[in-house]
C-alpha cells in the first residue's frame, strides 16, 4: 500500500519503521527533517510538506504531540487534508480531544475521505516491538480496511464503535488510570519509607501479587527507585492529556477528584521547573511534601 | 501441632479449615459459637473463652475485625495472653494498626511468648483456596517456626523484617492501593459512560492489557457491572482500615491526597446508610455525583 | 452622555436604571425585548440590534452571561463593535475570561475605540442600590473619562492598572473566595449539626465576630437556614466562572486545591439536576454526603 | 475570688494578667517557672504543683497546649482534680477534643466539682487587650457563676448549651474556618501574582469590601506580604487542632474536603521542617507548588 506518515517523534518513528518492514511504500513528513533520517535510509521517501506527502496515499498516519499540531498538519498552510485522494483513510494516532477528532472526521466526510481514530498505549520501546495496544473508533468499513496495517504495529486492537470520539475518551481515561496508579504507589511507598519499610520491599509485594500488571511493574519500579529516567513522555506533555481529560469531564459533568489531584501534582511539577524527567516523576511531589524529596 | 484459633468470621473460618486439613489439633473460640459449628464437625475443639482455648497451644492464630476486638480477646477478661504457655507464638492476622501490634509484641516479650504479625491479602474465597498472600514481620526465629503453618493457608509469604509493625503498615498500604484502584476505575468508567463508551468496554480493555492483574480484573468487574455483591467486606470495615492508614500517615507526616479522597468516599457511603454492599460499592459515589447513580 | 446598554438580565437592568436616573440618554438592547420594558417606560430607547444601539454612543456598557454571549453581541452578525463611533468607550461588566478581555481590547484598538474592563461584585439588590464594588483595568484615560458613570452604579472602584485582563482575574478570584467561604461554612455548620450544635448558633458566632463581613453574613445565613432562595445566580452560571478561574490557573501553572473542590461541588449540583436554587446551594452537597441532606 | 491558673504560655499569661487587675487572689502553676515571673511580680502566688495551686481555689483556669497536657495537670501525679475543693469550678480554655472535655466533666461530677468548657478565639495581643471571644458550654449554674470572670478576659461570650463538648466543637470549627480563609486567600493571591496582579492589590480590595472582617484583614495581610512573623501559634500546634477536627468529623461521619486540604498543607509544612513561622505560613505551600515560593 501507499502510506504517508506525518509526525516522527519517538513514537512516530518506531511505528513507521514497523510499517516499512512489510514493503509498503512509505512517504514521511516531519517538522524537522533530521528525525526522518533513519527511515529514509530504510527506504522511506521524504516529502517537504504534509500536502505533498499524501499526494498518492491510500492511508495517512498522523502521530503528533497535541491538538494544535494535528490541526496544523491537517488544515494549516500545506495541510494534507485538501490534498488527500478521495477514498483515502486517515489513521489518527495522537492523543487528542474527542472534540478535535469529531471535527476532523466531519471535514473528512465533506471531502470523501475517512477518519479512523486510533490512539495507542505503550512507551517507545513497545512501539518498536510492535507491542502497542490500539483503540479504534469511527467508520466501520474504514477500520476493516486498515486492520492489516494496525496488526503490524500493535499486539491487539480494541474497538469502541462508530462514534469517532470514543477511542480518544478511552485513551484519555487510560492515561488517567496510569496517573492514578503512579500517585497511589507514590503515597503508599512514601508511607512505607517513613515507617521503616523499604520502597522496594513494598513494590516487590504488590507488583508480584494483587497488582501484577505491566503498569504497576514498570511504573512502580521507577517510583520505588525514584529514578525517573529515561523520559518516555515529559510531565508537560501528559499534563496536557490530563487537561483534555478534565475538559471532557467538565463538559459531561463528571466530578473526578482523583483526576484533579493528578493534574495538580503535574502542574506543581511543571511549575517548579523540575528538569528533564519522565512524567512519572510527579511522584516526587509526594515525597517532597512528606519532607523526604530526592527528585 | 497444638493450635488455637480465635475469631471465626468468613476469613477466620476459611483459614482454620485449611489448618485442620493437616491433622493439627485445633481449638477454636469465637464470640458467637454458631460460627464454629462446621469446624467442630470437622474435628476442632471448642473452648468457652480465649484463655481456655490456648491452655495447651504452641501457636495461637487471631483473626478479628479491629484493634479493639483483638485487644479484648488478648488482654480483656478471659483474655488469652496471660494463659499462653511460655514459648508459644501468636500469629496475628487481623488488619490492625502497627501501634497495636507493637504494644502486643511488648506484652508477649514480658511473658516469654512471641508475636508474629501476619496480616493477609485476599477475599474469603481466596482464604478457602489457601491462596492468600501473607505479610510477616517480627521475631525471625518465631517466623521460621511457624512457616509450615503459613504455607498451609497462603500461596506466598512476603517478609518485612524484625520490626513488628512493618507488616501492618504494608497491609494498610495494600488496602489503600486497592481503594485507589476502585476510585480510579469508578471515575474512568463513569467518564466513559457519560461519553458513550460502555463501562464494560473500558473494563475489557484495561483489565486485559495495561492493568491485567487480579485487583483490576476482580474489583473492576464489580465497578463495570455496578453490582456490589456478595459482600467481601463492608464499607464500614474497610473505612476503619483507611482510618488506621491515615493515622499512620498523620503520625509519620505523610500527606496522602488520594488516601483522603478514598476515606471521604467511604465516609459518605456509610453516612448515607447505603445498605448491605461490598466496600467497593463506594464507587457508586462517583456515579451519584455525576448524576447517574444506580446504587 | 449618550450611552448604550447591552444585556438586561437582573444585573444589567438594575445598573441601567441607575444610569437613567442622571438623565443620560440611554439606548438599550437585549436578546429578548421583554426585559427592556421597565427601562423603556423610564425613558430608555430600544434598539433592534447591538449595532444600532451604539450608533451614536459615547459609551457602551455590556453585561452578558458569558464569553460567548459577549462575543456574539460585539463581533457577531449585527455586533456593535464595527458600528461603534471612533473614540467611544466600551465598559465591559460581564464576568469573562481575561483572555477574552484582551482579545476584545485589541479589536477596539484597531478600530480606535477603547475597552475598559469593569467586572462588578454584588447581587441584584446591591446593583439596584448602586452599591456594587467595581474592579477596573485598561487604558488609563478611558477609565478616567467614564469614572463619573461608574460612581453612579457602585459604592467604590478598585483599579488594577493598565493590563486589561487584570480586573477579570480579580473578579474570578473574588467569586472563588466566595465559593470557598460557602464550602467552609457548609463543612463547619454540618459538623456542628451532627455534633449537637445548631447551624444557626455557629453562624451567629462567626458572622458577628472573626468573620463579620458581608459575605459571611449574607451567604452564611443561607447556609445556616439551608434555604437557597431567591436565586441570585444559578449553580450553572457560577460553575462557568469557576471553570474560567481554573483555566487561568491552568495556563499560569497555579495548583488550586480549593478551586478544584468548589468546582466539583458545583459540578455535582448541576449533574444531579438540583432544581432552581441559588449557587450557594452547592453547600447542600456537604450535608448530603454527611447523610443529612435537605436540599 | 480565689483563683488558680494553670498553663502560662503566651495566651495563659495574658489572660491571667487580666484576672489579676481586679484584685482577685491568683495562684499560678506552669511546667517551667520562668513564665510565671511577671505574674508573680504583679502579685500572683506561685505553686509547685497543680494540686497545691488549687488547694483553696473557688475557680481554676487551665490553658494548655493539648489534650495530653491538660490530662497531665488534671489527672497526673500532683494533678489538681483530686485536690480541688468541693463546689469549685474548672474553666477549661484549651483547644481540646470534645471527647476529652466530656471525660473530664464526668470526673468533676463524681467529685462534686464542676467543669465549664471555655475555649477562646484571639491571638496573644487580643488576649492582652481582653478582647477574646469566648465560647462556653456545660453546667448552666456554673457558667452563670463565672460570668464576671469571663467578662474580664473577653469582649463577648457565646454560649452553646449544656452539652459540655459543644464549645470545643465550635472552637475546632472556628480554627478550621480560619484555615480555610488562609488557604483560599493563598490560592487567590498566588493566582493574581502569576497573572500580573499584586498580592497586596487583591488583598486591599477583598479585605475592605466583601470580606471586611478581622480574619481577612489580619491573616490576609500576612499572606499578601508573605511575612509569617511573629508566631501567634506554630504550624504543629494548629495542625494538632485540625487533627482533632478531623477526628470529630470521622466519628460523626462528616466528609470535609476542605478540612483535608488544610490538614495536608499543614502536614507538608511541618514535614518539610519550615522553621519558626506562624501557622498561617502554610500559605507558602501554595506559592511553592506554583513555583513562586519565598518562604
Amino acid at each position: 500500500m501507499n502510506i504517508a506518515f506525518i509526525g516522527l517523534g519517538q513514537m512516530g518513528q518506531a511505528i513507521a519503521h514497523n510499517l516499512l518492514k512489510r514493503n509498503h511504500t512509505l512517504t514521511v513528513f516531519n517538522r524537522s527533517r533530521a528525525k526522518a533520517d533513519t527511515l529514509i535510509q530504510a527506504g522511506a521517501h521524504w516529502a517537504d510538506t504534509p500536502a505533498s506527502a499524501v499526494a498518492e496515499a491510500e492511508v495517512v498516519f498522523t502521530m503528533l504531540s497535541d491538538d494544535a499540531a494535528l490541526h496544523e498538519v491537517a488544515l494549516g498552510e500545506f495541510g494534507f487534508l485538501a490534498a488527500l485522494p478521495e477514498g483515502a483513510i486517515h489513521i489518527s494516532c495522537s492523543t487528542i480531544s474527542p472534540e478535535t477528532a469529531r471535527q476532523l472526521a466531519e471535514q473528512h466526510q465533506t471531502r470523501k475521505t475517512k477518519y479512523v481514530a486510533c490512539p495507542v498505549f505503550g512507551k517507545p520501546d513497545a512501539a518498536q516491538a510492535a507491542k502497542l495496544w490500539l483503540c479504534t473508533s469511527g467508520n466501520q468499513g474504514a477500520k476493516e480496511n486498515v486492520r492489516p496495517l494496525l496488526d503490524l504495529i500493535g499486539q491487539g486492537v480494541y474497538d469502541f464503535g462508530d462514534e469517532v470520539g470514543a477511542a480518544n475518551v478511552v485513551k484519555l481515561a487510560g492515561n488517567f488510570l496510569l496517573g492514578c496508579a503512579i500517585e497511589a504507589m507514590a503515597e503508599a511507598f512514601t508511607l512505607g519509607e517513613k515507617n521503616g519499610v523499604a520502597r522496594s520491599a513494598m513494590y516487590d509485594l504488590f507488583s508480584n501479587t494483587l497488582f501484577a500488571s505491566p503498569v504497576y511493574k514498570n511504573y512502580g519500579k521507577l517510583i520505588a527507585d525514584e529514578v525517573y529516567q529515561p523520559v518516555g513522555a515529559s510531565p508537560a506533555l501528559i499534563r496536557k492529556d490530563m487537561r483534555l481529560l478534565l475538559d471532557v469531564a467538565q463538559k459531561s459533568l463528571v466530578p473526578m477528584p482523583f483526576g484533579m489531584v493528578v493534574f495538580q501534582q503535574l502542574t506543581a511539577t511543571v511549575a517548579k521547573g523540575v528538569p528533564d524527567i519522565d512524567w512519572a516523576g510527579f511522584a516526587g511531589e509526594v515525597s517532597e511534601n512528606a519532607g523526604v524529596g530526592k527528585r
Side-chain angles (χ1 to χ4, degrees), chain A residues 68-171:
Chain A
L70 175 58
H71 199 269
E72 178 63 24
V73 301
L75 298 165
E77 199 185 6
F78 311 116
F80 71 81
L81 207 66
L84 199 59
E86 201 175 303
I89 299 170
H90 173 197
I91 303 178
S92 176
C93 299
S94 316
T95 298
I96 54 167
S97 75
E99 196 51 33
T100 295
R102 287 180 202 117
Q103 287 165 2
L104 271 175
E106 271 184 42
Q107 301 259 6
H108 275 286
Q109 198 159 17
T110 310
R111 288 177 163 82
K112 307 213 164 138
T113 52
K114 280 168 188 155
Y115 181 93
V116 170
C118 184
V120 307
F121 284 106
K123 292 190 164 186
D125 56 350
Q128 281 165 28
K131 291 285 188 195
L132 296 172
W133 293 105
L134 311 177
C135 299
T136 56
S137 59
N139 180 280
Q140 187 59 23
K143 287 185 294 192
E144 281 164 18
N145 289 344
V146 300
R147 181 59 191 257
L149 296 179
L150 303 188
D151 289 338
L152 294 179
I153 66 174
Q155 65 177 305
V157 178
Y158 283 79
D159 185 59
F160 293 90
D162 294 342
E163 202 282 287
V164 80
N168 293 101
V169 171
V170 173
K171 169 64 186 174

